[in-house]
Amino acid sequence: SLNAEFSLLSDSGCVPFNIIPNSSSQNASQYEWVFGDGNTSTSSSPSHIYDSSGIFACSLIITSPVGCKDTVSQSIVVFSLPDLKTNNDTTICEGESIALFANGGDTLVPLSNQCSWSPAQFLNDPNSCTPTASPDTTTTFYITITDANTCINTDSVFITVFPVLSQNLTVTPDTSIALGESINLTASSDFGQNYLWVPSEGLSCDTCSNPVFSGVSSTNFTLYIYDQNGCLESETSVYIEVRNEYSLDFPQAFTPNGDNISDVIKPRG
């Protein structure tokens, strides 16, 4: 008798899901497979890949030598891969850390999903979906997400690590001025590209290497020097004491000879 029959190793899987149906049909001379996604085959032992998720009816139609037909169908369930969005490739400076993340696009990763990051030695928790990475050299981090259907999605994040270069630093030493005086602060370094003086009060410029200080109170400045990559290369402090006294400039031509010209000096303030 004519009998259509086939078996599958598995009737469910993740995109792309490959099936190899095994026909055990009796007395068939012709085979027609209808996979339910618009594709067909006339092979007796075909293979087929489902490249989209959904539920599909996989049918086998057999024909006997005298033209009789029989049909059998099985449902195929194909799961989509878990959504995955992670950091863009980025840069950090040597000694810095960066928060990595893996989520489902606009939504958080479901609690049923499992995250796995590598290499693990630069991560505080390689099995967290939001670990902190502290690489000491340029590194590619790989993220793998596995959902409740054991479907897997992967991505990677390339982290460029800029080295912090040692440099020779020259800066104004701690000093003092009288109230009303000014002093030119100077700083130079081998790789310094950007400067920041904190606080900025009393300075003619807080982002240049040689600002003028004309403050009215003693100030302890912190100078930050950054290289061309934006990495902090140096941090140092300069203390400028402002003495509560005034300075006087005396004319060099002082001639107290009674001719009423440069005979008397009087402070003005």
Side-chain angles (χ1 to χ4, degrees), residues 117-128:
W117 293 84
S118 63
Q121 66 264 33
F122 299 125
L123 300 166
N124 66 332
D125 185 356
N127 296 317
S128 169

Side-chain angles (χ1 to χ4, degrees), residues 147-161:
D147 66 12
N149 298 314
T150 67
C151 294
I152 293 174
N153 204 352
T154 61
D155 205 344
S156 63
V157 183
F158 185 73
I159 308 295
T160 300
V161 180

Side-chain angles (χ1 to χ4, degrees), residues 128-146:
S128 169
C129 292
T130 55
T132 299
S134 305
D136 57 13
T137 187
T138 296
T139 303
T140 299
F141 289 94
Y142 298 92
I143 171 62
T144 299
I145 284 186
T146 306

Side-chain angles (χ1 to χ4, degrees), residues 3-265:
N3 182 33
E5 189 175 351
F6 71 91
S7 60
L8 297 167
L9 290 177
S10 176
D11 60 5
S12 64
C14 309
V15 173
F17 182 49
N18 184 30
I19 64 167
I20 304 177
N22 179 33
S23 174
S24 55
S25 302
Q26 300 294 321
N27 300 318
S29 61
Q30 295 179 15
Y31 297 81
E32 181 182 2
W33 298 88
V34 179
F35 297 109
D37 61 353
N39 293 286
T40 62
S41 174
T42 57
S43 171
S44 60
S45 56
S47 67
H48 179 65
I49 296 176
Y50 290 92
D51 56 10
S52 61
S53 61
I55 300 176
F56 305 92
C58 178
S59 301
L60 169 62
I61 305 167
I62 61 172
T63 304
S64 70
V66 296
C68 296
K69 295 180 181 294
D70 192 24
T71 301
V72 66
S73 295
Q74 290 191 39
S75 292
I76 306 293
V77 180
V78 182
F79 303 111
S80 61
L81 301 183
D83 292 331
L84 174 57
K85 183 179 180 181
T86 188
N87 306 65
N88 294 325
D89 295 344
T90 189
T91 62
I92 63 173
C93 301
E94 182 182 355
E96 292 181 342
S97 298
I98 184 171
L100 300 178
F101 71 89
N103 63 33
D106 295 329
T107 61
L108 296 177
V109 171
L111 295 178
S112 59
N113 286 9
Q114 297 178 349
C115 294
S116 177
W117 293 84
S118 63
Q121 66 264 33
F122 299 125
L123 300 166
N124 66 332
D125 185 356
N127 296 317
S128 169
C129 292
T130 55
T132 299
S134 305
D136 57 13
T137 187
T138 296
T139 303
T140 299
F141 289 94
Y142 298 92
I143 171 62
T144 299
I145 284 186
T146 306
D147 66 12
N149 298 314
T150 67
C151 294
I152 293 174
N153 204 352
T154 61
D155 205 344
S156 63
V157 183
F158 185 73
I159 308 295
T160 300
V161 180
F162 293 126
V164 176
L165 305 173
S166 60
Q167 58 182 306
N168 296 315
L169 174 64
T170 302
V171 66
T172 300
D174 297 346
T175 188
S176 66
I177 60 174
L179 187 65
E181 289 183 338
S182 298
I183 185 173
N184 184 241
L185 305 180
T186 60
S188 64
S189 65
D190 294 336
F191 306 106
Q193 295 288 323
N194 297 288
Y195 298 80
L196 178 63
W197 298 83
V198 179
S200 60
E201 287 77 14
L203 295 177
S204 61
C205 171
D206 65 346
T207 57
C208 53
S209 61
N210 55 345
V212 176
F213 175 64
S214 305
V216 296
S217 60
S218 299
T219 304
N220 188 48
F221 292 101
T222 301
L223 171 62
Y224 302 95
I225 302 178
Y226 300 88
D227 65 16
Q228 61 182 358
N229 297 315
C231 296
L232 180 64
E233 297 289 348
S234 294
E235 178 181 343
T236 190
S237 61
V238 178
Y239 180 71
I240 306 299
E241 178 189 9
V242 179
R243 303 187 305 274
N244 192 21
E245 60 186 49
Y246 295 89
S247 61
L248 295 176
D249 291 328
F250 290 93
Q252 296 181 357
F254 173 48
T255 57
N257 56 9
D259 61 359
N260 294 323
I261 299 175
S262 299
D263 288 337
V264 180
I265 294 177

